[in-house]
Amino acid sequence: MKVNYLTKNTTEQCHANMSIILEEVLRHKRQTLAELFHDEHLLHTMNVEMKELELVRAPDTERPNSTDAQNAQIVYEAMQNLTDSQASEENLWAAYTLILQRDYMIWRWKPASKASVKSHFLFGHGAHRSLFRNGMSRLWWIARITKDTRLPDPYALTKYVCSHADIIQSILEQPVFQSPSMMRGTIRAMYDLDMLDQRENEQGMYPDAKRGVHIEKIAIQKTGQFMNMKAGTYLLDIYSEKEIHDMVQRFIRKLNGITN
């Protein structure tokens, strides 16, 4: 099957009619988008092959975001033929948020305002931040950035990021992290410190001898601030992933009083 998209004109109409889309198409599902716009041919196909998308939902006893890591893997594996440029197009993702994956989107994001439609069903922020706010594009991009075939589980970082919402907000969404190597280097640095901390705890290592760090909200936020500050002085885009990784680890260790 082929990847679908909406035309630029249709996407612009969606922005202009968010209130009625919210009520008719999303909250009450009285109409489909095609019925609302009186056009049965809203969907167009790209010359890009993809697998069928079957997204999962959590049981009622679990939070909807508990499925993000699994769905990120599903979306990326199904649509891995997309280029980064194609996967940055609002027109593409709007076809899935508003039509092809509408029921999943309603379940996951529970739209209750124009702001939620703009943010999660369309692109309502800057070009970069929107990729990680839109309910479908964020799944593809989180997996795109975090899939690491060097690890026993290639999606270990995907699971790690999806369990730390602050990494998405303070790292992935920030314009300074537009370089994939910067994102991966930063995330891998945090992951490695966290995993080392777990191993050291299991070994019963004394706190003063530890070099691992349990990554929490404050460390994530301060790392984002630190990298933003460094970007004002250095051309971080030319740094390798390993150089970013080591820089972030040094900063987080220093932040936690680890100097050895």
Side-chain angles (χ1 to χ4, degrees):
M1 61 188 302
K2 304 285 188 180
V3 174
N4 285 268
Y5 70 96
L6 301 180
T7 65
K8 182 178 179 181
N9 180 61
T10 298
T11 305
E12 289 174 350
Q13 289 184 55
C14 290
H15 276 278
N17 292 278
M18 281 189 289
S19 293
I20 191 168
I21 288 174
L22 170 64
E23 295 300 325
E24 293 294 315
V25 179
L26 303 177
R27 290 185 67 182
H28 302 294
K29 295 200 289 188
R30 286 189 285 255
Q31 301 183 69
T32 63
L33 193 67
E35 290 168 341
L36 181 66
F37 287 168
H38 305 291
D39 186 349
E40 292 298 324
H41 304 287
L42 289 180
L43 289 174
H44 298 264
T45 57
M46 300 172 59
N47 191 28
V48 178
E49 293 290 338
M50 65 170 286
K51 300 175 185 176
E52 186 175 354
L53 273 179
E54 294 185 9
L55 300 181
V56 300
R57 303 189 198 183
D60 292 340
T61 54
E62 296 182 23
R63 295 169 62 89
N65 62 5
S66 67
T67 65
D68 284 355
Q70 186 176 356
N71 282 329
Q73 180 176 343
I74 290 170
V75 171
Y76 187 70
E77 291 294 329
M79 306 176 80
Q80 60 184 312
N81 290 331
L82 289 171
T83 66
D84 287 1
S85 177
Q86 291 167 333
S88 299
E89 291 293 328
E90 178 185 25
N91 300 345
L92 184 157
W93 298 115
Y96 291 87
T97 59
L98 293 169
I99 300 177
L100 297 169
Q101 294 294 330
R102 179 182 68 164
D103 289 344
Y104 160 79
M105 285 292 300
I106 293 171
W107 169 80
R108 174 61 179 87
W109 295 104
K110 299 175 175 55
S113 65
K114 283 176 58 178
S116 64
V117 177
K118 185 176 182 180
S119 183
H120 298 303
F121 289 76
L122 296 166
F123 278 17
H125 305 275
H128 177 74
R129 178 169 291 181
S130 290
L131 297 178
F132 295 94
R133 289 288 179 96
N134 177 279
M136 288 297 297
S137 71
R138 70 192 298 273
L139 297 174
W140 191 93
W141 276 99
I142 287 172
R144 160 74 176 88
I145 294 301
T146 59
K147 183 178 181 181
D148 192 337
T149 55
R150 297 169 296 182
L151 294 171
D153 175 2
Y155 287 100
L157 295 182
T158 310
K159 296 169 185 174
Y160 184 72
V161 166
C162 288
S163 67
H164 292 72
D166 291 297
I167 292 180
I168 299 173
Q169 296 170 3
S170 298
I171 305 297
L172 298 187
E173 289 185 4
Q174 301 308 310
V176 69
F177 288 98
Q178 292 191 48
S179 162
S181 64
M182 278 188 64
M183 288 195 216
R184 279 194 296 268
T186 301
I187 294 166
R188 183 64 190 267
M190 293 179 177
Y191 174 83
D192 287 346
L193 285 173
D194 229 337
M195 295 303 105
L196 178 58
D197 179 71
Q198 288 183 28
R199 292 194 298 273
E200 290 174 337
N201 287 338
E202 291 169 357
Q203 295 165 5
M205 188 175 291
Y206 288 112
D208 289 348
K210 291 174 59 176
R211 288 184 54 75
V213 177
H214 176 50
I215 303 298
E216 298 183 295
K217 182 175 183 176
I218 188 66
I220 296 168
Q221 292 177 336
K222 287 191 174 295
T223 297
Q225 295 166 4
F226 168 73
M227 295 300 283
N228 192 59
M229 179 192 69
K230 295 289 283 187
T233 308
Y234 300 94
L235 293 174
L236 295 181
D237 284 356
I238 67 173
Y239 281 54
S240 70
E241 182 178 330
K242 179 66 165 57
E243 288 171 326
I244 295 294
H245 173 279
D246 293 347
M247 181 189 301
V248 170
Q249 284 210 341
R250 286 193 299 270
F251 170 76
I252 295 176
R253 283 193 169 114
K254 183 177 179 181
L255 187 66
N256 285 268
I258 300 173
T259 57
N260 57 322

